[in-house]
Amino acid sequence: MKVLSIIGARPQFIKEAIIGSAIREAGIEEVLVNTGQHYDANMSDVFIKGLSIKKPDYNLGVGSGSHAFQTATTMMRLEEIAQTEKPDIVLVYGDTNATVAGALVAAKLKVPVAHVEAGLRQHPKDMPEEINRVVTDHISSLLFCPTQKAVDNLSREGITNGVYFVGDVMYDLFLKMRPHLDITGTISRFGLKEKEYILSTLHRDFNTDDPERLHSILSALNDISKEIPVVLPLHPRTKKAIEIHRFEKLTSNINLVEPLPYHDMMSLIIGSRMAITDSGGLQKEAYFSGVPALVMMPDTGWIELVEAGWNVLVDADRGKIVDLALRHDTSDQKKQKGLYGDGNAGGQIAEFLLD
Ligand code: UD1
């Protein structure tokens, strides 16, 4: 059996680290394509090397551009590869332009599509990731859901065939890597003290490309930094937006660092007091680490954590972000067992593919 896996952006390198080894262990041949949507070394190579991902068989070198450019260029280059390789199934991950491009190419060549992290839904419905999710789910034959909520979302849209709750591959990876983390060493390398800092990330287009929201969020993080250090690994999109709007002054107290490799990021989240983020991944990794998160979105695909009182949606509300960051009581929070599976999502996906 031959699987063509498509990766291209940071969260997909992370997912491939689990899925790639699980499917190869199951004796499935994997042809790996990197679309090259993320190309800076600290957004791509550092994950491919640091997580021992197999060297991609094809690099499409798509790079930056509009959504249509990224999606269409990926599709044209990928179609040729799919026609040469003749895979039995195409595997796509998450919600990026690489995901939707891979799914469209495969579906039109009548090759079944398997979507890992299927069924997530959130507002605003016009955010690029949401468009990518909905389109991909509706043309996939196998839909591997990270949560029961995701299964329910698909069912509401009439998608019930080929839907499996397998758990979250990011949870698999977290459990696998945790014993190898140098948490204390990493915290002190960044000049921080355990539980005495906040880890933040910021890169959703509705936050970075809207100057009012960006102003409000940066001001909040800057205010908080006067009380407790805030570390912000800066995504290239956000860096550009800060330069364009000349918002540098709003970051004067924030500890800005380059995008971090997986091991550093996980060590810092585990050691932190709280996360303030608009990243889909980090709001869960905070939960895996026993750390609460303020989620800078109007809604989230991981709503179960909000319903459980673990995470709070703060949108871009400066007052709310500052207030909760300094006052959110985390003492009596309980974790629910099995929300994201049992740490074997990758193994289960490999088994379903073989079946
Ligand atoms: C993409 C995904 C998002 C994912 C995120 C993780 C889509 C629609 N969005 O968003 O789901 O959570 O990646 O990071 O696919 N840039 C660089 N170097 C890089 C990558 C990006 O300079 O290595 C700059 C480019 O100017 C680019 C901009 O950042 O235009 C935005 O990157 P892009 O790939 O469009 O989307 P992300 O915001 O990274």
Side-chain angles (χ1 to χ4, degrees), residues 310-347:
W310 193 275
N311 290 347
V312 183
L313 292 173
V314 291
D315 207 2
D317 184 329
R318 177 177 178 179
K320 206 168 170 186
I321 297 171
V322 175
D323 196 48
L324 284 171
L326 301 178
R327 267 178 279 284
H328 188 42
D329 179 15
T330 59
S331 49
D332 60 355
Q333 291 183 339
K334 297 265 183 305
K335 281 198 179 184
Q336 268 172 271
K337 250 190 141 84
L339 214 49
Y340 295 104
D342 58 3
N344 187 34

Side-chain angles (χ1 to χ4, degrees), residues 37-40 64 95-97 129 204 235-237 240:
Q37 177 171 339
H38 283 174
Y39 46 84
D40 282 357
S64 296
D95 57 18
T96 73
N97 292 333
E129 290 80 2
R204 286 269 95 80
H235 188 285
R237 170 202 284 283
K240 256 198 216 164

Side-chain angles (χ1 to χ4, degrees), residues 82-113:
Q83 280 167 330
T84 312
E85 292 289 346
K86 302 194 185 346
D88 298 297
I89 198 151
V90 168
L91 198 53
V92 295
Y93 306 141
D95 57 18
T96 73
N97 292 333
T99 314
V100 74
L104 281 168
V105 167
K108 299 219 172 186
L109 292 174
K110 304 198 189 307
V111 179
V113 180

Side-chain angles (χ1 to χ4, degrees), residues 11 45 51 73 140 153 184 204 248 282 296:
D45 297 357
L51 297 172
T73 312
S140 292
N153 290 340
T184 318
R204 286 269 95 80
E248 287 86 353
L282 196 68
M296 297 186 289

Side-chain angles (χ1 to χ4, degrees), residues 65-84:
S66 68
H67 288 281
F69 171 85
Q70 283 184 333
T71 310
T73 312
T74 302
M75 285 182 70
M76 288 191 296
R77 296 183 186 165
L78 199 57
E79 187 179 49
E80 276 179 36
I81 295 168
Q83 280 167 330
T84 312

